[in-house]
Amino acid sequence: MRSSVSYILSHAPGESVMSHPDYAQHAQHHACVLVLVKGIGGVLKNFNKLWERIQRVNNIKVTDSSGQVRDIWVRYVRDYPVENNDWGDFQTHRRLLGLITLSKFTNQIELNEVCRVHESLKVKYSNTLYDSRAFMFGPGSNLKKPQQEPETYNTYDDDKLKERTSLSDKISLPSDQADSLSSTESFPRSISSNASYSVQEDNFTTPSNFKTHALFYGENDAVPDLEQHVADLINSLFWVVESKRLERSREKLEKVSLLLAPFEKRDFVGLDMESRNNKKRCMGRVTKNLADLTLQAGLVAEALSLYHSSAEILKSVNDWLWLAAAKEGHCATSAILQYPNLRNPTPLQRNASLQESSPSKIKPLSLYQPNTDPFRKFKLHSSPLRSSKTSSPVNPPSELTPSSSDSVETSSRQSETDNADTESLASSSDIDYQSQKSYLSPDLPSIPRQPPSHINNQYLLGGEEIAEKYRKAIIHYSKYQNAGIIETEACFKAARIAVEQNNSLHASSFLQNVIFINLTLSEQEKIQRFDTLAELYKEIGFLRKAAFCQRLAATRQVSANNPNPDWQRCYYLMLHSFPGHKLSLDPNYVIQHQVGWPALQIQLLHELVVAARRMGHPALATRHMTFLLQTMWPHLSRQEHRDLAIQLQALSAQCEGGPVPLVLETGEVIPPANLTHVPSCTYFNPRQLAPARTPHLIKCKANQGPFIFTPIHFGSLERKNKKDEGKMEYLWVEDDICEVQMKLTNPLPFELKVSNMRLLTSGVVFESIPETIILPPDSPTTVNLHGTPKEVGELQILGYSTHTLGVKSNCRLKNMPMPHKFPASFLIQVIPSLPTITIETTLSLSGNINISNPEISGNITNISLYNGESTECTITITNTSNVPIEYLELSIQSNMDNQLQSKVFQWSNEDIQSQLPINAGDVATIVMKLYGEADFLDLGGVGENLFPNSLTSNYPSRVGSPIPNAQTSLPTHSSNPQNSLSSGFIMNRTSGSFRSSNSQTTSWSAPISIMPPSRGRQIETQIVIRYSGGAGREMHCRQTTLQMNLELLPSVSITHWDVLPAEIPSQLYLVLDITNLTNEEMDFHYTPSKHILIEGKESRRVPVPLDRCPFTITIPKNEDDSMEPKSISTGTSTNSLELMCSEHLTKNVDLRWHLLQSNITGRASVKGITLSQTMMDIVRMSPLNWEVSVNKQCIKPQEEYNCMAGECLSLGVAVWNHLSRPLHKLCLSVQFYQDYNNGVLNYKLDNRVATAGNNKVVLTTLLEAAKAYHECTVVFLTPGEYKIDIQCSTTEPIIDEIPAIKDVNQTIVQSCAGEVSHVWRFIPPVAISVTD
Amino acid sequence: MAVCVAVIGKDNSPLYIGGIGNDTSTDNELSRQWLVHTALDALEERLATTNSNNATASANAARTDLRDLYLGLLYSTDTHKIYGYVTNTKIKLVLVTSSTSPSGSNIRDAEVRTALRRLHALYADAICNPFHLPGDQIISQKFDRQVKSLMVNNV
Amino acid sequence: MADDIVFELLHSEIINYALEPKSTNGSKEVDLSVVEYIGFAAGYKIMERLTREWPRFKDELDTMKFICTDFWTCIYKKQIDNLRTNHQGVYVLQDNAFRFLTNFSNGHQYLEYAPRYVAYTCGLIRGGLANLCINSIVTAEVQSMPSCKFHIHVQRT
């Protein structure tokens, strides 16, 4: 909106160019009386309070001589350049009319000084100043007013009078309240306080040249009548203005002088004032001036028309400058009428002040009607009650002043006065609260409450018109370079009106224009200009522009040509331009919604960092740099990343950043910025505890389910079903090191040191162990963070904290750059702490100690044992935790089957339980017996080389083998070939096991074995130790496995065995071939008394005397299945029988061996030995008992009987049935034969022996325990050696089934069921030698 | 002559900013961005008023040119003039001329209008590039070249 | 009119292509969503061109009119025959001879297949409006063959 024409009268700026723009000016200030408020002398501590109170007195009502109420507005300024006064003619509201000084003094000298300053101020503004007040705050409180003759104003004396009166009670008022104060105050000066009084009384006197209305207070007085006095001042000022207005209006328009703007003076030199043009010019200008005064004097409506007419006149003479002024005035006036609430900009503030219940604040204001007699005033003044009454009728509804604002004023004053009363009655503030409400409500909306139509004034401008006129005015101004400041101010005023109209575009255009006005301004003024611009742009919502201006202002603050750069203000300006750049202080917000222009944001942040640093707040600098790096990461190039990182390091070197919000002096809070990009985390997951430490459920608790003891745990299970993200299914243990694994990548091109990494957790107390790592550039590194939960319950892992580039960051998972990657947090159940143990195993003899910490699950103990050897392994458990172990159980897993396992490993659970509980640091020992369980019966490879020895042995050929070649010596049961064969055959058939068949058809040449114990065996076992304790023992336990590798070495083996009848029928010999499989000499005990030495790898044959196996021993219920598989039903019985016998042997045979060299002892057993039928006959007691007698004398076994040839012998044979049942069809036979001892038996003795009585009888039945006797006589015809073979056989096939348990014999019979019958012989056969 | 041309997306995010001229302290990439960025306020305000004016009866004679895509001069600084153009699809085209250079100072409104219309045409072609996703920055060099030539020759 | 027929043929081929792999599982919507998206993208991009010479739209209705006239003409060489609205953001555009339907049926013969041949257009409209900052849901209904109604529900946010 610049004028197209270049500057009119553009000469160099005149000496009196107004050089101090007043950006704060509003349009309504045109109507205001300008008053300067200055603090002089010593600093008043409550100056600001007073200043506020004064400001609140910005409008008073005065009833003028014509009885009309005037609305007088005041504008208070703290500082006003004199130069601006020069424009007072141009726009009267620029005149400084009033002066108020607030001063402090402690003694006469200071007082004089203060007075001097006040006077000098008066002089300074002398040509505009009308009246002044000096509020002086002395040391004491009870001051007499020093003598001074009041200055005299021509126009009104009632004013003075009033002042006096007010003054008189003013002094009386504070006198009796602050004695104590005074006394203390006066201490230094005088000895006694009342003395000091007297001293004080006449102490202070203002200098004679001090001709100001001064008011004295004690420094701490609550200046109750401040408002009142200010009101006085305003009042007096009004009257001056009014008078000026009147005289101006009475002037003859013909002979008015030309008013000039400061810079115009020389332009009009030598122009004849008489020219018609100039007359008009003068007229116009005067009219305009009059309009100003009228406006100030509160006659708004008149002002309108005056402005209008003046504008008309001035336009006709092309007096652009003044025309502009007129237009502006016109606009301002219209605006004042249109938008009354422009005038009371801070209604709320004023109301707020009311709530403070200090009576002094709420004195009745401006109730003086100057033209009423003092007496009345006095009374009125003393009684607020009446004052309120009088104040109520104030302001009759005038169609000129928009009622809204007025009603506000009056009602507010009304309420104030009311308060004045109620306060005294100590009624609290609720009343005035209501009263405020009453007048607050209509006050709020900012649109003109009165449509222009209601104000019936044809000159009143509408909203659009105002803008339009203002634009014109500004254009006119713009023609004058020297009016630049006026123009600028006009722009701002116009903009403010536009804001009021909610017309952003107009406002912006006005503001835009400001930039083009090139003024020679000080840096400070330029900055102020930008500030104001920014603020106004904000108001119209042009945030970006506002931000732009703020940034300009900021840069100005510290620009090179700024004499005193102010980084602090620069910083704040920058900071406040954030919203304009769509930036938020909260990094997460910025990251989430990427709005705004990155390039600009980055720039701004850079500058912000610099500012922060330069203003000496390194913490902020670091914070903002972190913010920049964090939020702008995606928009930065790799190089920039690097540079910024380095800068950040440099900054944080001065003050390192932490994740705590910073609070500025202004109370703004800068939230922490966390670096989640440096280093960037690509993987984050809590780890399960190490196997040895992982808690296991104790399932064995059948009686109480898990529900009772760990509801939480159960809950967690449920939640898992609900697919709760981040809920871990495994458990952590209180006081136990836990681990979180994460993958970090260093995006920076240099090595990055990240120190003090911890876990961020919530929920239970968690003690995190800091980590420090060095990350190489661009290579993902795996990092494990550790910590120990200190409580039971739910642990929530929120993220991790880092300390890198000198910045501490809390990187929460939910704020991670890619949130989808991680759950917001990880939930982990922490269970009560469990004990931990270390285990060491000691072996008794081969004392290899093996300490094992349970961390490594597979700690291995190696043990080697000889078969049959037994040793002890002590497992020492040390409780390394401070939780007592209250539950401990051992279990074994191995590659053996359970029976073998239970034989090899033996321990007593009671012993273990008895040692519980194991307190912290205590030690428990578990003794475990290890036994080299093995099968000693073997026919493996050693058979052959054994054979020659057998020949050289004492019993050459009798080593139990029923084969014919054995029949040389004693006749055996098996001397009947087919029989033995048959029986052998039977066994073969019934039990299809090699060994058994082997044993009864024993031939040296046929040793076949499947599993020889001659080779060592490896047994791998894990001993699982489950233990628990503390609160959680009901539910969880830990388990440790220790590996035990057991090697079983061969010791001895029994390669062959047989049984021989002993001399006494109740006994037998078990003949064993023992092979020493070790390499050492072995001392082999086969009976308690007898022992034999066996060389390494040698084998010996030992006879073991045994009792025969009695009949009725119940076979232990089904023994281990290592027996031969049963083929057929008959097999079972045989097995059971055989079993019985082998059991018998196993029980009674006690073999021990002792390795002499390596003093190892062990034992062996014939367990699982198998016997052939014939063997069993020997092993077992015979079912029939024989009693054989010759010639009535019974013969002993082994005894030789002699007789003569031809002699008649009677041979009696008696048979007892020992069985529990009768035998049938027994055939008892007696046979004679000769044994040639060469294996030939001669039965053909017909010509040598004659028998009387049959030698074969059949007993149909032989009842149990019955005895059968048969007798026959025999005569030997030729001498020689004879033998009698007495045998008894059953022929009947057995049908009826009899339980084998009792009846052994029967089983035999049964066993040889079928045609083949069973045979019992009398062994040894009776031998008779016949002589001649 | 045009100093800078900017294409700004629906959400006021910069889609393309092309500038020519020697990168001195006063006119460089960044300063251009400031210029354009601060222009957005006025731009949006214009749009808003456009719509509101249509609604309210207070729409005056300006009604017709309010419907024009070309918004004219948004604001001007002592060094630059910033012109705005908003397509029907709320894509904002901003053209900055330097008022210091002779050619730029006395530039006529019509010229700017045509230039912006051309730019619009270019943009319409550019987004038909299958490799361009709507809302992304325009990185097509062809577009860049065309815009640059436009700035040099046509304005 | 060769170029037009090319467009039609291409369109029908796209539909066949989109339907082909999914023909096993009978859900038409899934298949057509592809076609609809193709339409959306096309509409979004073409709108920039079409509105280039066009003055700023006064309001929504103005925009819809544009869709009915120029937009439709440029794509289908004809205008929408009837536009109705309830002024609450629902617009019904009726085309009595929808180009994709005209050339294979009038009557009920292929009625069941009609949805395939309007999906693309729905997307086209939606995309165009989206680029004009009007979020909407576009559905189509075909009662008697060559004529087709497009329902536009504007999503007020």
Side-chain angles (χ1 to χ4, degrees), chain A residues 172-195:
Chain A
S172 65
L173 189 69
S175 57
D176 49 354
Q177 56 183 217
D179 294 2
S180 60
L181 278 168
S182 68
S183 58
T184 50
E185 290 275 347
S186 56
F187 241 2
R189 273 188 272 115
S190 62
I191 305 88
S192 79
S193 59
N194 48 7

mmCIF file of all heavy atoms in Angstrom, chain A residues 172-195:
data_model
loop_
_atom_site.group_PDB
_atom_site.id
_atom_site.type_symbol
_atom_site.label_atom_id
_atom_site.label_comp_id
_atom_site.label_asym_id
_atom_site.label_seq_id
_atom_site.Cartn_x
_atom_site.Cartn_y
_atom_site.Cartn_z
ATOM 1 N N SER A 172 -3.814 11.455 58.757
ATOM 2 C CA SER A 172 -4.351 10.859 59.976
ATOM 3 C C SER A 172 -4.427 9.338 59.808
ATOM 4 O O SER A 172 -4.305 8.583 60.744
ATOM 5 C CB SER A 172 -5.754 11.412 60.246
ATOM 6 O OG SER A 172 -6.621 10.975 59.203
ATOM 7 N N LEU A 173 -4.630 8.940 58.622
ATOM 8 C CA LEU A 173 -4.902 7.522 58.403
ATOM 9 C C LEU A 173 -3.741 6.624 58.825
ATOM 10 O O LEU A 173 -3.888 5.826 59.732
ATOM 11 C CB LEU A 173 -5.227 7.306 56.910
ATOM 12 C CG LEU A 173 -5.747 5.912 56.562
ATOM 13 C CD1 LEU A 173 -7.130 5.746 57.163
ATOM 14 C CD2 LEU A 173 -5.793 5.719 55.055
ATOM 15 N N PRO A 174 -2.571 6.802 58.307
ATOM 16 C CA PRO A 174 -1.533 5.834 58.635
ATOM 17 C C PRO A 174 -0.872 6.086 59.981
ATOM 18 O O PRO A 174 -0.180 5.241 60.506
ATOM 19 C CB PRO A 174 -0.516 6.042 57.498
ATOM 20 C CG PRO A 174 -0.758 7.407 56.996
ATOM 21 C CD PRO A 174 -2.106 7.845 57.430
ATOM 22 N N SER A 175 -1.133 7.259 60.571
ATOM 23 C CA SER A 175 -0.329 7.694 61.720
ATOM 24 C C SER A 175 -0.300 6.647 62.823
ATOM 25 O O SER A 175 0.735 6.404 63.426
ATOM 26 C CB SER A 175 -0.930 8.979 62.273
ATOM 27 O OG SER A 175 -2.283 8.702 62.605
ATOM 28 N N ASP A 176 -1.424 5.989 63.064
ATOM 29 C CA ASP A 176 -1.480 5.168 64.281
ATOM 30 C C ASP A 176 -1.252 3.688 63.971
ATOM 31 O O ASP A 176 -1.669 2.830 64.728
ATOM 32 C CB ASP A 176 -2.848 5.374 64.950
ATOM 33 C CG ASP A 176 -3.946 5.223 63.910
ATOM 34 O OD1 ASP A 176 -3.558 5.092 62.696
ATOM 35 O OD2 ASP A 176 -5.110 5.223 64.256
ATOM 36 N N GLN A 177 -0.679 3.425 62.879
ATOM 37 C CA GLN A 177 -0.571 1.986 62.583
ATOM 38 C C GLN A 177 0.866 1.495 62.563
ATOM 39 O O GLN A 177 1.130 0.323 62.739
ATOM 40 C CB GLN A 177 -1.250 1.673 61.249
ATOM 41 C CG GLN A 177 -0.709 2.489 60.093
ATOM 42 C CD GLN A 177 -1.475 2.194 58.809
ATOM 43 O OE1 GLN A 177 -0.889 2.168 57.761
ATOM 44 N NE2 GLN A 177 -2.771 1.975 58.917
ATOM 45 N N ALA A 178 1.799 2.388 62.376
ATOM 46 C CA ALA A 178 3.145 1.862 62.139
ATOM 47 C C ALA A 178 4.194 2.442 63.066
ATOM 48 O O ALA A 178 5.289 2.769 62.659
ATOM 49 C CB ALA A 178 3.545 2.137 60.702
ATOM 50 N N ASP A 179 3.832 2.588 64.313
ATOM 51 C CA ASP A 179 4.823 3.135 65.249
ATOM 52 C C ASP A 179 6.047 2.250 65.337
ATOM 53 O O ASP A 179 7.182 2.669 65.216
ATOM 54 C CB ASP A 179 4.197 3.268 66.640
ATOM 55 C CG ASP A 179 3.101 4.304 66.613
ATOM 56 O OD1 ASP A 179 2.867 4.847 65.475
ATOM 57 O OD2 ASP A 179 2.511 4.560 67.643
ATOM 58 N N SER A 180 5.760 1.003 65.558
ATOM 59 C CA SER A 180 6.873 0.052 65.718
ATOM 60 C C SER A 180 7.839 0.219 64.551
ATOM 61 O O SER A 180 9.034 0.358 64.719
ATOM 62 C CB SER A 180 6.328 -1.367 65.728
ATOM 63 O OG SER A 180 5.673 -1.580 64.494
ATOM 64 N N LEU A 181 7.247 0.254 63.410
ATOM 65 C CA LEU A 181 8.099 0.415 62.236
ATOM 66 C C LEU A 181 8.988 1.631 62.395
ATOM 67 O O LEU A 181 10.197 1.557 62.300
ATOM 68 C CB LEU A 181 7.214 0.603 61.006
ATOM 69 C CG LEU A 181 6.666 -0.714 60.401
ATOM 70 C CD1 LEU A 181 5.589 -0.420 59.393
ATOM 71 C CD2 LEU A 181 7.833 -1.466 59.768
ATOM 72 N N SER A 182 8.324 2.696 62.711
ATOM 73 C CA SER A 182 9.094 3.948 62.774
ATOM 74 C C SER A 182 10.235 3.798 63.771
ATOM 75 O O SER A 182 11.366 4.135 63.494
ATOM 76 C CB SER A 182 8.183 5.079 63.222
ATOM 77 O OG SER A 182 7.827 4.831 64.575
ATOM 78 N N SER A 183 9.920 3.245 64.925
ATOM 79 C CA SER A 183 10.964 3.166 65.951
ATOM 80 C C SER A 183 12.150 2.382 65.417
ATOM 81 O O SER A 183 13.288 2.836 65.472
ATOM 82 C CB SER A 183 10.407 2.468 67.197
ATOM 83 O OG SER A 183 9.950 1.188 66.807
ATOM 84 N N THR A 184 11.864 1.254 64.860
ATOM 85 C CA THR A 184 12.992 0.470 64.337
ATOM 86 C C THR A 184 13.736 1.276 63.288
ATOM 87 O O THR A 184 14.947 1.345 63.277
ATOM 88 C CB THR A 184 12.479 -0.823 63.674
ATOM 89 O OG1 THR A 184 11.437 -0.445 62.773
ATOM 90 C CG2 THR A 184 11.953 -1.778 64.726
ATOM 91 N N GLU A 185 12.945 1.875 62.435
ATOM 92 C CA GLU A 185 13.583 2.659 61.374
ATOM 93 C C GLU A 185 14.532 3.688 61.956
ATOM 94 O O GLU A 185 15.626 3.908 61.493
ATOM 95 C CB GLU A 185 12.496 3.392 60.570
ATOM 96 C CG GLU A 185 11.643 2.457 59.723
ATOM 97 C CD GLU A 185 12.305 2.178 58.393
ATOM 98 O OE1 GLU A 185 13.265 2.896 58.072
ATOM 99 O OE2 GLU A 185 11.878 1.248 57.691
ATOM 100 N N SER A 186 14.092 4.264 63.016
ATOM 101 C CA SER A 186 14.826 5.452 63.489
ATOM 102 C C SER A 186 15.963 5.076 64.430
ATOM 103 O O SER A 186 16.624 5.931 64.967
ATOM 104 C CB SER A 186 13.858 6.368 64.234
ATOM 105 O OG SER A 186 13.266 5.602 65.270
ATOM 106 N N PHE A 187 16.135 3.830 64.666
ATOM 107 C CA PHE A 187 17.196 3.432 65.603
ATOM 108 C C PHE A 187 18.544 4.061 65.301
ATOM 109 O O PHE A 187 19.126 4.751 66.130
ATOM 110 C CB PHE A 187 17.333 1.919 65.617
ATOM 111 C CG PHE A 187 17.066 1.340 66.970
ATOM 112 C CD1 PHE A 187 16.694 2.173 68.028
ATOM 113 C CD2 PHE A 187 17.178 -0.015 67.218
ATOM 114 C CE1 PHE A 187 16.439 1.638 69.262
ATOM 115 C CE2 PHE A 187 16.923 -0.530 68.471
ATOM 116 C CZ PHE A 187 16.549 0.287 69.486
ATOM 117 N N PRO A 188 19.051 3.881 64.125
ATOM 118 C CA PRO A 188 20.401 4.394 63.884
ATOM 119 C C PRO A 188 20.525 5.881 64.176
ATOM 120 O O PRO A 188 21.537 6.360 64.631
ATOM 121 C CB PRO A 188 20.607 4.106 62.399
ATOM 122 C CG PRO A 188 19.254 3.847 61.841
ATOM 123 C CD PRO A 188 18.469 3.257 62.962
ATOM 124 N N ARG A 189 19.432 6.535 63.951
ATOM 125 C CA ARG A 189 19.569 7.996 64.037
ATOM 126 C C ARG A 189 19.437 8.511 65.470
ATOM 127 O O ARG A 189 19.982 9.507 65.838
ATOM 128 C CB ARG A 189 18.516 8.650 63.142
ATOM 129 C CG ARG A 189 19.013 8.802 61.709
ATOM 130 C CD ARG A 189 18.059 9.619 60.879
ATOM 131 N NE ARG A 189 17.044 8.758 60.277
ATOM 132 C CZ ARG A 189 15.767 8.845 60.589
ATOM 133 N NH1 ARG A 189 15.389 9.708 61.502
ATOM 134 N NH2 ARG A 189 14.887 8.089 60.012
ATOM 135 N N SER A 190 18.679 7.827 66.296
ATOM 136 C CA SER A 190 18.416 8.443 67.609
ATOM 137 C C SER A 190 18.383 7.387 68.704
ATOM 138 O O SER A 190 18.249 6.205 68.439
ATOM 139 C CB SER A 190 17.068 9.136 67.556
ATOM 140 O OG SER A 190 16.085 8.142 67.313
ATOM 141 N N ILE A 191 18.470 7.807 69.912
ATOM 142 C CA ILE A 191 18.540 6.897 71.046
ATOM 143 C C ILE A 191 17.143 6.397 71.383
ATOM 144 O O ILE A 191 16.853 5.232 71.360
ATOM 145 C CB ILE A 191 19.170 7.570 72.274
ATOM 146 C CG1 ILE A 191 20.548 8.129 71.906
ATOM 147 C CG2 ILE A 191 19.274 6.562 73.410
ATOM 148 C CD1 ILE A 191 20.488 9.550 71.358
ATOM 149 N N SER A 192 16.265 7.315 71.661
ATOM 150 C CA SER A 192 14.918 6.868 72.031
ATOM 151 C C SER A 192 13.958 7.154 70.892
ATOM 152 O O SER A 192 14.093 8.151 70.183
ATOM 153 C CB SER A 192 14.448 7.638 73.271
ATOM 154 O OG SER A 192 14.014 8.928 72.850
ATOM 155 N N SER A 193 12.976 6.261 70.779
ATOM 156 C CA SER A 193 12.089 6.367 69.619
ATOM 157 C C SER A 193 11.298 7.671 69.668
ATOM 158 O O SER A 193 11.204 8.389 68.696
ATOM 159 C CB SER A 193 11.126 5.188 69.604
ATOM 160 O OG SER A 193 10.379 5.210 70.807
ATOM 161 N N ASN A 194 10.788 8.017 70.811
ATOM 162 C CA ASN A 194 9.956 9.237 70.828
ATOM 163 C C ASN A 194 10.824 10.465 70.607
ATOM 164 O O ASN A 194 10.418 11.451 70.035
ATOM 165 C CB ASN A 194 9.153 9.342 72.125
ATOM 166 C CG ASN A 194 10.053 9.091 73.321
ATOM 167 O OD1 ASN A 194 11.267 8.985 73.126
ATOM 168 N ND2 ASN A 194 9.490 9.007 74.498
ATOM 169 N N ALA A 195 12.053 10.345 71.052
ATOM 170 C CA ALA A 195 12.993 11.415 70.704
ATOM 171 C C ALA A 195 13.085 11.501 69.186
ATOM 172 O O ALA A 195 12.940 12.565 68.590
ATOM 173 C CB ALA A 195 14.359 11.107 71.266
#
